Amino acid sequence: MSTTSLAAGLPVPDQSARLRDALLAADFTADGLLELLGAPAYSALARSETVPALRATRGDSRLETLVRLFLLQRPVEPERVRAALPLDMALADGWVAESPDGIRATVDIRPYGGPEGQDWYIVSDLGCAVGGAGGANGRDEGVVLGVGGASTTLAGITVRTPVSSALDIGTGSGIQALHAGRHATRVTATDLNPRALAFTRLTLALSGAPEADLREGSLFAPVGSETYDLIVSNPPFVISPGARLTYRDGGMGGDDLCRSLVQQAGDRLNEGGFAQFLANWQHVEGEDWQERVRSWVPGGCDAWIVQREVQDVTQYAELWLRDSGDHRTAPEEYAARYDAWLDAFEASGTKAVGFGWITLRKTDSDRPSIVVEEWPHPVEQPLGEAVRAHFTRQDYLRTHDDAALLADHFVLADDVVQEQVGLPGAEDPEHVVLRQNRGMRRATKVDTVGAGFAGVCDGTLSAGRILDAIAQLVGEDPVLLRDRTPDAIRVLVQEGFLEPATPRD
């Protein structure tokens, strides 16, 4: 797709390497910002509070100039801008523009640190970088936002194994395509909004990343029947009355956009490929939300669905009315929009809305693993490796019956610790908890047998032999212990507390 067709009214990326060099030379990077602003001002900027950053950039260094120009979006004297970047080129290519009060940025350029220390830049509309000078006030339909919490969450949970092909659906300002370029030979990025494709091209070019195949259209329409090893999407998942804002509103009824995206992904995945999405889903009166989302999973795919948050319909409506700046409109206009949201939810019987992650893996197994759970607790990002390991464990459990499980060997995962809970001075604990310090940071109660079993799993003895030894210690029939323990072992393996090991005896 040509620059002209993509970038009407936006900067031209052809000389972006020169601009990138200037930004790097001025230390306009994520680390440079933190050092210049200090933690309090840096954190305040993430909350859309600009006063601390303005106070921290009252000098005339090149970095302070660039922060005021691109992050705080203040006019800057031409001579100061010329000292910080090639001004003639930036003007000619449209990165900045002349105004009566000085040079002004035409786009938001935000330093973004890559997972291996790369100095990347996310380009978005002015005032629409989440946490930027104007917050995420996206009242214009075609607005393209920068990086927010949802974007970084998806980037963190994505499986990063090397692949031949990756597809980013609803690319926005291009952060997922930027990440995918590290480990995918070919990256395709699509969006219904042509401005988003233009911004993705700018983001990739200014970050020194490989170009992507940019295609305009909705969901999978731009790629037809093509298949991929990795599909990612932070779609416009907001469940709203209408499709007023392209960047967030799905334009279908209720959660139909997310359902369609998930259901159609199975036919676009290569064997062993992953599809990873952020999504919203309705909690409908008289319906189990887990069954609702489970029904979305296409045939031939394993799935792991994690609900991270639930909001009642009033909280949900207020969140997205603030997002679009409607809380700053006339009171009667705000009330009318609020009413429209609640009317739509009442009509569909929706009492709450869930938010979470959906990961599919193409297996074509006749015994698919579909895990649906609620996990609102803190996790440790990045989680991509934990996601990959989850599906590896499902493969293991699917192919091992109880006899095979007892014959196998296990090791306790490196990040697991044991906690004993009980009254001070008591001879025995009330219960024992195994806790993960990394990844999902799960915790699970175990009985005396479970704690003893996990504690000696070092790969030396088979599970059956460990249970026989425990039975002898506690005076229990070893046959009965072998019969009742495999289910508990399966839970410990499924949740990552125990890992299969290579047999040693």
Side-chain angles (χ1 to χ4, degrees):
M1 195 172 290
S2 72
T3 299
T4 302
S5 62
L6 279 179
L10 292 177
V12 176
D14 299 349
Q15 299 187 75
S16 56
R18 289 186 62 198
L19 180 57
R20 173 178 171 80
D21 288 343
L23 300 180
L24 292 175
D27 205 20
F28 187 63
T29 63
D31 290 341
L33 287 182
L34 181 58
E35 184 175 349
L36 170 68
L37 300 179
Y42 190 87
S43 299
L45 193 60
R47 301 190 300 270
S48 300
E49 296 291 347
T50 60
V51 172
L54 285 167
R55 292 174 61 86
T57 56
R58 289 178 291 191
D60 58 0
S61 71
R62 290 182 296 168
L63 178 55
E64 289 165 299
T65 295
L66 295 175
V67 171
R68 281 186 167 258
L69 184 65
F70 289 117
L71 267 64
L72 302 178
Q73 286 141 31
R74 296 299 196 272
V76 180
E77 298 86 349
E79 59 272 16
R80 286 190 58 184
V81 178
R82 193 178 301 278
L85 52 79
L87 179 56
D88 292 342
M89 180 277 292
L91 286 168
D93 286 0
W95 296 96
V96 298
E98 294 177 304
S99 72
D101 49 2
I103 302 297
R104 286 186 174 270
T106 60
V107 291
D108 184 297
I109 297 177
R110 190 149 303 258
Y112 177 78
E116 296 172 352
Q118 300 98 328
D119 290 315
W120 288 341
Y121 298 95
I122 309 297
V123 188
S124 65
D125 271 314
L126 290 172
C128 294
V130 178
N137 176 17
R139 293 180 57 80
D140 295 329
E141 179 186 355
V143 74
V144 177
L145 269 62
V147 177
S151 301
T152 55
T153 292
L154 179 59
I157 67 173
T158 300
V159 176
R160 297 297 177 191
T161 53
V163 294
S164 296
S165 57
L167 172 63
D168 175 18
I169 298 175
T171 187
S173 55
I175 180 176
Q176 310 306 330
L178 184 58
H179 278 276
R182 294 175 47 241
H183 62 103
T185 304
R186 175 173 59 90
V187 177
T188 301
T190 72
D191 205 289
L192 183 63
N193 181 3
R195 282 177 57 79
L197 299 177
F199 275 111
T200 292
R201 187 173 186 183
L202 294 172
T203 288
L204 296 177
L206 196 56
S207 297
E211 292 186 5
D213 179 5
L214 305 177
R215 305 188 192 182
E216 182 181 342
S218 177
L219 300 183
F220 290 100
V223 300
S225 60
E226 295 176 41
T227 59
Y228 298 85
D229 302 312
L230 174 67
I231 300 171
V232 295
S233 182
N234 175 17
F237 53 66
V238 176
I239 300 171
S240 61
R244 187 161 59 104
L245 301 174
T246 303
Y247 75 89
R248 69 164 205 197
D249 297 330
M252 299 184 186
D255 50 20
D256 282 354
L257 182 136
C258 291
R259 176 185 55 80
S260 298
L261 185 62
V262 174
Q263 288 181 337
Q264 294 174 24
D267 291 337
R268 273 69 175 200
L269 278 176
N270 294 326
E271 180 73 15
F274 286 92
Q276 299 187 257
F277 311 110
L278 301 185
N280 274 181
W281 43 79
Q282 294 163 269
H283 285 228
V284 177
E285 188 171 12
E287 177 182 273
D288 184 342
W289 74 266
Q290 293 195 1
E291 290 305 313
R292 181 184 188 88
V293 185
R294 184 187 297 270
S295 71
W296 296 359
V297 178
C301 289
D302 289 347
W304 185 19
I305 301 168
V306 182
Q307 180 168 272
R308 294 288 289 157
E309 184 179 0
V310 180
Q311 290 185 321
D312 67 50
V313 292
T314 59
Q315 292 174 310
Y316 190 80
E318 290 163 13
L319 169 67
W320 294 109
L321 286 167
R322 287 194 303 272
D323 170 81
S324 57
D326 287 304
H327 61 304
R328 292 191 287 268
T329 62
E332 60 274 14
E333 183 179 346
Y334 174 78
R337 290 198 186 280
Y338 200 154
D339 251 344
W341 283 72
L342 297 186
D343 284 345
F345 284 135
E346 184 177 352
S348 63
T350 301
K351 300 301 181 183
V353 177
F355 166 81
W357 318 325
I358 298 177
T359 300
L360 308 176
R361 186 187 58 163
K362 187 69 170 288
T363 65
D364 287 327
S365 170
D366 57 0
R367 296 169 55 203
S369 165
I370 303 177
V371 177
V372 185
E373 62 176 320
E374 186 164 10
W375 191 255
H377 311 294
V379 299
E380 182 187 56
Q381 288 274 36
L383 273 172
E385 178 56 27
V387 172
R388 186 204 60 77
H390 167 89
F391 287 94
T392 299
R393 294 193 296 269
Q394 305 317 303
D395 284 342
Y396 173 85
L397 293 171
R398 183 163 39 211
T399 57
H400 285 69
D401 60 15
D402 287 355
L405 206 65
L406 293 175
D408 216 340
H409 299 233
F410 300 92
V411 294
L412 192 66
D414 291 338
D415 62 332
V416 175
V417 296
Q418 176 178 303
E419 299 174 358
Q420 296 188 166
V421 180
L423 295 173
E427 184 173 342
D428 296 312
E430 294 178 14
H431 58 264
V432 177
V433 174
L434 299 181
R435 186 179 303 277
Q436 300 169 348
N437 285 324
R438 304 189 67 184
M440 293 293 287
R441 293 179 173 168
R442 297 187 186 276
T444 187
K445 284 185 183 181
V446 291
D447 60 14
T448 303
V449 171
F453 179 85
V456 297
C457 279
D458 62 0
T460 302
L461 300 176
S462 68
R465 289 182 61 183
I466 292 174
L467 291 177
D468 291 342
I470 291 175
Q472 185 174 0
L473 286 173
V474 301
E476 187 170 342
D477 185 331
V479 175
L480 295 177
L481 188 60
R482 279 175 172 254
D483 284 345
R484 70 176 177 85
T485 304
D487 284 347
I489 296 175
R490 286 185 182 279
V491 170
L492 292 177
V493 172
Q494 177 171 308
E495 296 189 346
F497 291 95
L498 293 179
E499 300 172 351
T502 303
R504 299 180 185 175
D505 66 342

